[in-house]
Structure formats: structure tokens, C-alpha cells
Amino acid sequence: MIRITESAQAHFRKLLAEQPDNTNIRVFVVNPGTPSAECGVSYCPPDAIEPDDEVLPFSGFDAVVDSGSAPFLIDAAIDFEEQDLGSQLTLKAPNAKARKVADDAPLIERVEYVIQADINPQLANHGGKVSVNHITDDGIAVLQFGGGCNGCSMVDVTLKEGIEKELVQRFPGELNGVRDVTEHQAGEHSYY
């Protein structure tokens, strides 16, 4: 479920050595499955482990995950890098904002997952988002833009050069293109 690099494990062992005996780490997601999802790591004393927690053994400590966060931490990775200007612990959880769907799930669910997990985080840099309205019988994903994308002068480029290329490449033979049904109205919310 969670991959913790050797350097991150060494970092956690060092931090845990200063804590009471049998303290582990807890990895969690706040607001899982939403655009505002955020991942975190904290100390987990032995009396804070709940019966439905998942306990993942690592070298010298366990990583404890609550049942609500577990599905959103699939494929998560924690790394620790020492750099000239300091060190940095990174936690990447590609499924935190959207629960991973099965490979045999309906096409619309798989497309919506890719949008929520990979495309919307990029659009969020400009205050935008996109969602799947429906998929036509001839394999066209009909999309609805919102936020800063609504009325943005670059929305056509984003749609065809970014989103369509990504989705058609990810779903060959199933998806043939995308179409925007948003009634774009430029305003203060629009990104330029």
C-alpha cells in the first residue's frame, strides 16, 4: 500500500528513537476523496492504535493507517531527501483525492478517476477543474469545466492538447476524443 524509501525509514527511526518506547508513525489523509484532500504523517503511540487500523511493518517501526484513509493511500510513497539547503520529507499519494477504481470498472468511472487524480491537480494551479458529464456511444467524453477554466482564453488548447491527448492515450480503443459542453463566460474567476 505505502512505499517508504530507505532514507525515509532511517529518518523515521531517528525521530522515533526520541519518542516513548513502541511509538510508531501514523499515515493519514484528511478529507480523503475530495479536491481538498491532504496527506500527513504523525507519531502514533501504542494506545492510539484502533482495532480497524492497518499496521504495515517496516524496519524498526510500523506505519499505522486508519481504515478511512487506507483506500486513498494505495500506491503512496514517502521519501526523505537531504539537500544542501536542508532536508525534505515528501509524501506522494496519487489516490488521495480520488479512490482508485478497478481496471474493469465502467469506462466513465475510470475516466473520472484519471481526471480527479491526474488532470484536476494540474488545473487547480489555475483555479480550474473539469469533470465528466457523460461518454457518448461513439467514445467521446463530454466534459464540463469549472472554476478558472470557465471562460479561460486557453481552454481549447487545454482541452485538445492536454486533456484529450492524455485520455485517448490512456484509454486506446475505448475513448476517441473529448468535447466541452461548458457555457464559457469570462469573468473575474477566469484564468488568463
Side-chain angles (χ1 to χ4, degrees):
M1 170 193 306
I2 301 172
R3 185 176 65 80
I4 301 179
T5 65
E6 288 298 325
S7 60
Q9 288 184 51
H11 177 67
F12 287 134
R13 281 191 298 272
K14 182 178 172 186
L15 292 175
L16 290 168
E18 300 171 11
Q19 297 301 310
D21 287 348
N22 300 316
T23 299
N24 290 297
I25 64 166
R26 178 173 291 281
V27 184
F28 57 90
V29 181
V30 177
N31 300 319
T34 69
S36 61
E38 291 195 25
C39 300
V41 178
S42 65
Y43 293 117
C44 183
D47 61 350
I49 298 176
E50 300 293 331
D52 63 343
D53 282 345
E54 207 165 321
V55 179
L56 309 170
F58 286 92
S59 177
F61 66 93
D62 291 335
V64 180
V65 178
D66 65 274
S67 60
S69 294
F72 300 94
L73 289 170
I74 293 172
D75 299 331
I78 301 175
D79 191 17
F80 181 75
E81 293 181 23
E82 298 213 36
Q83 303 163 343
D84 292 340
L85 300 175
S87 54
Q88 181 175 5
L89 183 71
T90 58
L91 195 163
K92 294 181 182 171
N95 301 307
K97 295 181 188 301
R99 181 187 300 239
K100 190 168 186 173
V101 296
D103 291 341
D104 61 351
L107 179 61
I108 192 165
E109 289 179 23
R110 291 181 284 134
V111 170
E112 184 66 27
Y113 169 76
V114 169
I115 286 173
Q116 295 303 326
D118 297 335
I119 295 171
N120 274 345
Q122 295 173 46
L123 296 178
N125 292 334
H126 304 277
K129 62 184 177 185
V130 68
S131 62
V132 180
N133 186 299
H134 66 279
I135 297 179
T136 66
D137 292 339
D138 57 345
I140 303 297
V142 179
L143 306 178
Q144 178 82 40
F145 283 92
C149 290
N150 185 352
C152 173
S153 60
M154 296 298 290
V155 75
D156 290 337
V157 174
T158 300
L159 180 71
K160 291 296 183 182
E161 295 300 318
I163 297 171
E164 183 173 69
K165 280 185 176 180
E166 178 74 19
L167 292 177
V168 170
Q169 178 184 348
R170 293 244 195 140
F171 301 101
E174 293 182 276
L175 208 58
N176 300 315
V178 299
R179 185 171 71 227
D180 179 13
V181 293
T182 311
E183 291 185 28
H184 288 278
Q185 297 180 352
E188 289 183 20
H189 64 278
S190 300
Y191 183 81
Y192 292 99

